[in-house]
Amino acid sequence: MTTAPVQARKQPGKGSRREPLLWGMLGIGTLLALFEIIPRFGLINSRYVPPLSDVLAALGGQLTDAGFWTALGSTILGWLLGLAIASVLGVVGGVVVASIPLVNRMLSSTIEFLRPIPSVALVPIAALLFGTTMQATLLLVVFASFWQVLVQVMYGVRDIDRVALDTARTYRLGTFWTVRRVVWPSIMPYVVIGIRLAAAVALILEITGELVIGSPGIGKLIVIAQSSVATSTMYALVLVAALLGVLVNVGTRHIEHRVLFWHASVRSEGA
Amino acid sequence: MKTGKLSAWLFVTLAVPAVILALWTLLAELTESLYWPSPLAIARVFPKAWLDGRMTEDVLPSLVRLALGYLCALAIGIAVGLVVGSVRRLRLAVEPVFEFFRAIPPPVLVPIMMLIAGIGDGMKISVIAFGCVWPILINTVEGVRGIDGVQIDTARSYSLRRRQRLLNVTIPSAAPKIFVGARQSLAIGLIMMVISEMFAASNGLGYNIVQFQRLFQLKEMWSGIILLGIIGVAANAIFKLVEKRCLRWYLGMQSQER
Amino acid sequence: MQHVEKHPILSVESLRKVYGAGAGAVEAIGNLDFTVARNELICIVGPSGAGKTTFLRCLSGLLAPTSGQVVLEGKKVEGPPEGMAVVLQEYSRSLYPWMTVYDNVELPLKAKGLPAGERRTAVTEALGAVGLSSSTKAYPWQLSGGMQQRVAIARAIAYRPKILVMDEPFAAVDAQTRAELEDLVRDLWQRLGVTVLFVTHDIDESVYLGQRVLVLSSAPTFIMEEVRIGLPDERDQLSTRALPEFARLRTQVYELIQQAKLVTYRTERPVAGEAVSHSV
């Protein structure tokens, strides 16, 4: 504590801020180089892992293909729609369940049982009910991501300040305003965290549904490429799925940061 | 008094599941729907569908593959995470790489691994391990990195040796984070177990569920889905038990802060 | 002005620490020079921002000084020395929350390679000495702040150090606990015959505890003055603090600290310049 000002100035300015970026680029660069070199020189059979340049060429071919863009659109649409439905259901369900103690206690066993059920267990049912349509995969996405939101929201409701609620009651705020002004602001951070977790899960299940059930999307194209031994194309499509995943992770984390920038500071002040 | 409390607890816990089951049975019996057989009908086919050989020939191999893949992921993820987390430059270099691999939706690994490793047990185990390793790895790195400086200084000032520091300071301190990763990975592992079998297999739980569906044996299919659900719940319960034992100090500390 | 012992257990020689280099360099320690005699209880007190933490990290071998050296029992300190135990202010962070009180105290002894039997005796004795015999199986976070700091002290004395270094150990506990712990330190020091170097920002505490008080300047740190504490060896929270001599000494130290603050405000030094003469 006593030397805090000294130590704070200890960090040299610009050099250290650029350093992580440089090392990170080195890491990614090495990965890309290995991806090219290892198959190119036959250390791994290029029938199994084609060199990066071939994959990028195949990716270029895909980018000019209308079918690819339709599939990408289906994947994104299915993911977004499933996430949105799960979020709404999760938030409403979480608030209702957690704020009524009796309901909470009566449903907790059911929730504890249903939540760990692997969502892929629903694959056959979804396929039976909806065939190879988008809805089949949507069912999986909603089921899997719903729990993520629900559980976080329930934590959030449990964390609401009792005093704030009592205050709302003494001023006879009414249900609507209590929810709007007291419940919502305090569960907001949890909602955002829940949706961030759900977004990643939703993408996994979206791709899973496309792969296994055959709903339209990138996953289906991957299966087609695999069965027609178009290895480079398959890798290109996997790369697209991966980039989609990176985008979802980075994007949701960014949004969480922007929405919750006040949250950590408010908390540390309170503690 | 005590029995009163117990029965009240039983009522609260079982009321909703009982109502759901009753409604399901009632609706199924009334509509005689093919798609939604009644729980009774499912229970009736369950022994024949699973206990007659499939338990050892399908379910057990599935579980063994899951366990092997998951344990591999744990061992590799924690070991690599401990090293990467304690060497700053290495961490800076490989973290983006790890983030990239983590972002790959794990199911797409199945077609790739089929290409490389065929459709045998090796493929399935490596798919499970590859899908599970990233959350464990990334969380271990984060856990090691987040160790309190005072805790490290204390270890240094008492001249703890490398092995002692690893076992008594680094690993316990990172353990809560490692468990967060391991929990995420368990869900992924279950998904990967089923998908790898749905895709390409001649045995296993996932394979059988899909077979039942294709043969339109819907009661059997439902019994498989329920079995899978039970396995998920059981895996989760075991995980929680282990977590409770290993992180007793952490959970106790948290409940005190509240 | 320097207090020179015939056989100092610890000597700090022209210690200087500069963070960074070039234009952004910050001089934390200007020049520190002093010795500690065997079995002495010495207090070091300084205004906040006096670089006490930096100094202690250099002393305990956690940080390499820019120049000068620390010598413990004739050996230059180049890493954490074996004959030293450190008690930090942040007891809740220096104790390992995943270990019981007993295990926390035992861990450094394992590192030392003591056989199990000796470890058990040492841990039990140390915990007994700080009055914690009944809490051996508890986790640190189940104890109050004062008790946690007792565990940290027990861990330090079980280690059988030649010198016990305490870094503002009681800054985070309440006043009553603090008084108890101060008496505990005096008591342990007298009973165990260990050398104690006690760093604090509390003037009363330094006078009450020490045989000698070193007053530090603000950063870049040097020693402003050395004050001999001529209070009787048997000290008592009530009667000792009521002595006229106590009042005189605390006033003296207080004035030195005030002076220390002024000195830095007045000194405009070239950042990476020569060490300024440290006589006042």
Side-chain angles (χ1 to χ4, degrees):
Chain A
M1 277 301 281
T2 46
T3 50
V6 174
Q7 283 179 344
R9 269 182 285 160
K10 182 180 114 185
Q11 310 282 346
K14 282 178 190 168
S16 69
R17 225 173 299 147
R18 226 179 307 145
E19 202 194 346
L21 194 69
L22 284 175
W23 283 103
M25 274 157 57
L26 182 74
I28 293 281
T30 311
L31 178 73
L32 294 179
L34 287 176
F35 193 178
E36 175 68 30
I37 292 167
I38 290 180
R40 187 63 76 193
F41 290 94
L43 297 170
I44 291 181
N45 192 332
S46 59
R47 261 173 42 215
Y48 300 154
V49 183
L52 179 64
S53 46
D54 291 7
V55 173
L56 290 179
L59 182 62
Q62 287 294 312
L63 295 181
T64 56
D65 184 347
F68 166 79
W69 292 104
T70 317
L72 185 62
S74 306
T75 299
I76 293 174
L77 183 66
W79 167 74
L80 212 55
L81 200 59
L83 183 61
I85 295 172
S87 301
V88 172
L89 290 179
V91 171
V92 174
V95 170
V96 169
V97 170
S99 51
I100 305 170
L102 185 66
V103 176
N104 192 0
R105 266 188 295 155
M106 296 193 78
L107 277 179
S108 68
S109 62
T110 313
I111 291 172
E112 279 307 299
F113 182 79
L114 289 178
R115 188 160 67 106
I117 292 179
S119 37
V120 283
L122 298 182
V123 162
I125 301 173
L128 271 181
L129 291 177
F130 300 109
T132 59
T133 60
M134 193 180 138
Q135 285 95 306
T137 295
L138 196 61
L139 180 69
L140 298 185
V141 174
V142 171
F143 180 83
S145 37
F146 167 70
W147 301 110
Q148 307 285 339
V149 183
L150 181 83
V151 170
Q152 288 298 324
V153 171
M154 285 174 68
Y155 283 147
V157 174
R158 234 178 282 161
D159 233 29
I160 295 176
D161 194 346
R162 292 286 133 205
V163 180
L165 272 186
D166 289 345
T167 312
R169 199 171 304 151
T170 51
Y171 285 107
R172 304 173 153 277
L173 223 50
T175 311
F176 175 78
W177 285 107
T178 308
V179 170
R180 175 99 172 65
R181 291 284 178 223
V182 182
V183 176
W184 179 246
S186 27
I187 65 169
M188 236 281 277
Y190 294 87
V191 172
V192 174
I193 292 168
I195 292 177
R196 173 168 65 79
L197 296 173
V201 171
L203 185 67
I204 293 178
L205 268 297
E206 174 66 35
I207 300 278
T208 303
E210 294 165 9
L211 282 171
V212 183
I213 303 177
S215 313
I218 294 290
K220 189 180 181 183
L221 291 190
I222 292 177
V223 177
I224 293 171
Q226 185 230 357
S227 51
S228 55
V229 209
T231 310
S232 294
T233 308
M234 184 182 85
Y235 272 91
L237 292 166
V238 168
L239 195 64
V240 171
L243 291 178
L244 215 52
V246 172
L247 220 60
V248 168
N249 283 356
V250 173
T252 49
R253 234 177 282 168
H254 183 71
I255 291 171
E256 185 183 327
H257 249 81
R258 295 218 25 187
V259 179
L260 301 185
F261 68 96
W262 53 274
H263 186 234
S265 56
V266 169
R267 264 193 166 171
S268 65
E269 258 178 39
Chain B
M1 181 66 186
K2 254 191 177 168
T3 49
K5 251 186 187 168
L6 184 70
S7 58
W9 179 82
L10 275 176
F11 174 75
V12 165
T13 316
L14 297 179
V16 173
V19 167
I20 293 174
L21 277 178
L23 274 178
W24 182 358
T25 312
L26 196 68
L27 282 173
E29 298 285 346
L30 285 178
T31 58
E32 292 184 18
S33 158
L34 260 179
Y35 289 171
W36 306 95
S38 86
L40 288 173
I42 296 169
R44 239 177 280 135
V45 301
F46 190 91
K48 210 176 134 266
W50 297 104
L51 302 181
D52 240 7
R54 285 212 178 84
M55 199 53 95
T56 50
E57 277 158 41
D58 293 294
V59 180
L60 199 62
S62 289
L63 292 180
V64 169
R65 289 191 288 252
L66 173 65
L68 285 178
Y70 186 65
L71 291 178
C72 275
L74 270 180
I76 297 170
I78 293 174
V80 176
L82 287 174
V83 173
V84 170
S86 32
V87 185
R88 184 168 166 275
R89 287 184 176 163
L90 183 63
R91 172 173 65 75
L92 290 177
V94 295
E95 232 170 12
V97 177
F98 291 167
E99 287 290 343
F100 173 78
F101 278 115
R102 201 236 305 243
I104 299 177
V108 304
L109 301 170
V110 177
I112 291 185
M113 282 295 177
M114 272 170 71
L115 201 68
I116 298 174
I119 60 167
D121 286 343
M123 178 278 274
K124 294 187 188 95
I125 293 169
S126 43
V127 160
I128 294 169
F130 200 89
C132 290
V133 78
W134 307 109
I136 298 171
L137 182 47
I138 288 171
N139 278 286
T140 307
V141 170
E142 232 169 86
V144 173
R145 198 185 132 197
I147 297 179
D148 194 316
V150 176
Q151 290 178 350
I152 297 173
D153 279 355
T154 306
R156 282 180 63 198
S157 70
Y158 283 113
S159 309
L160 258 60
R161 280 182 229 107
R162 185 185 286 266
R163 212 177 81 90
Q164 286 167 326
R165 225 192 290 178
L166 189 71
L167 290 179
N168 293 308
V169 183
T170 313
I171 291 178
S173 170
K177 273 272 171 193
I178 296 175
F179 270 93
V180 169
R183 178 186 286 276
Q184 290 172 11
S185 291
L186 185 63
I188 294 176
L190 276 164
I191 292 179
M192 299 306 285
M193 172 188 93
V194 177
I195 292 178
S196 65
E197 294 168 357
M198 285 181 168
F199 230 84
S202 50
N203 74 347
L205 188 54
Y207 167 77
N208 272 291
I209 293 177
V210 170
Q211 272 320 98
F212 285 138
Q213 180 222 326
R214 291 199 180 131
L215 300 172
F216 228 64
Q217 296 179 310
L218 298 188
K219 285 176 206 153
E220 284 81 357
M221 178 195 87
W222 270 101
S223 73
I225 291 170
I226 286 167
L227 181 61
L228 188 51
I230 292 171
I231 289 172
V233 174
N236 209 49
I238 294 170
F239 184 90
K240 268 191 185 162
L241 218 64
V242 175
E243 186 180 40
K244 217 175 181 175
R245 272 196 68 100
C246 294
L247 295 185
R248 200 164 40 187
W249 63 272
Y250 182 72
L251 300 170
M253 207 163 80
Q254 270 191 326
S255 69
Q256 206 181 43
E257 274 167 15
R258 200 160 279 174
Chain C
M1 183 189 97
Q2 289 299 317
H3 179 88
V4 181
E5 288 287 329
K6 246 186 186 170
H7 295 294
I9 187 168
L10 177 85
S11 60
V12 175
E13 297 163 7
S14 315
L15 192 75
R16 179 159 180 266
K17 179 68 192 176
V18 181
Y19 286 113
V26 177
E27 191 176 14
I29 300 177
N31 184 8
L32 281 178
D33 239 321
F34 68 92
T35 57
V36 181
R38 201 170 294 277
N39 299 341
E40 194 180 10
L41 202 175
I42 186 170
C43 287
I44 294 184
V45 61
S48 51
K52 291 191 287 271
T53 304
T54 303
F55 162 59
L56 277 174
R57 289 178 66 85
C58 290
L59 182 74
S60 53
L62 293 171
L63 195 68
T66 307
S67 63
Q69 60 178 358
V70 176
V71 178
L72 179 64
E73 291 211 299
K75 269 201 286 186
K76 186 179 172 187
V77 169
E78 275 163 334
E82 194 167 312
M84 183 186 291
V86 185
V87 176
L88 301 167
Q89 179 189 331
E90 302 99 328
Y91 49 79
S92 63
R93 291 160 66 200
S94 80
L95 296 174
Y96 296 126
W98 47 85
M99 290 182 184
T100 60
V101 165
Y102 186 95
D103 294 339
N104 262 293
V105 178
E106 191 189 25
L107 181 64
L109 306 181
K110 279 188 181 163
K112 236 181 177 181
L114 242 58
E118 280 180 48
R119 289 205 302 263
R120 198 172 317 121
T121 326
V123 175
T124 315
E125 271 178 19
L127 284 171
V130 299
L132 279 179
S133 297
S134 56
S135 315
T136 51
K137 286 194 183 121
Y139 285 101
W141 40 266
Q142 291 171 320
L143 307 176
S144 68
M147 282 164 90
Q148 288 185 42
Q149 199 55 297
R150 278 171 195 263
V151 177
I153 294 171
R155 177 170 65 183
I157 58 174
Y159 193 63
R160 295 279 151 80
K162 301 282 169 19
I163 183 165
L164 176 59
V165 176
M166 307 185 88
D167 177 13
E168 304 206 17
F170 310 142
V173 298
D174 62 82
Q176 279 171 35
T177 312
R178 182 178 198 144
E180 282 168 25
L181 291 172
E182 283 167 4
D183 288 338
L184 176 70
V185 167
R186 289 275 313 175
D187 179 51
L188 290 173
W189 167 64
Q190 279 168 333
R191 272 197 299 159
L192 303 177
V194 64
T195 312
V196 179
L197 188 149
F198 193 103
V199 177
T200 177
H201 65 259
D202 185 309
I203 295 158
D204 285 42
E205 188 169 73
S206 68
V207 173
Y208 179 72
L209 283 178
Q211 293 176 299
R212 197 153 60 102
V213 173
L214 297 181
V215 183
L216 300 185
S217 72
S218 298
T221 315
F222 56 90
I223 293 173
M224 297 260 307
E225 183 75 80
E226 176 195 321
V227 180
R228 292 227 140 251
I229 306 297
L231 295 169
D233 264 356
E234 284 305 316
R235 294 186 194 174
D236 173 82
Q237 290 287 351
L238 284 179
S239 55
T240 306
R241 285 177 194 267
L243 292 175
E245 177 67 2
F246 185 89
R248 190 190 67 74
L249 287 164
R250 80 177 287 283
T251 311
Q252 188 188 351
V253 176
Y254 183 82
E255 279 169 359
L256 283 164
I257 300 264
Q258 292 307 316
Q259 210 179 323
K261 288 180 188 165
L262 288 179
V263 168
T264 36
Y265 289 139
R266 267 194 267 116
T267 9
E268 289 291 329
R269 304 158 45 84
V271 174
E274 293 292 308
V276 168
S277 130
H278 57 271
S279 50
V280 178

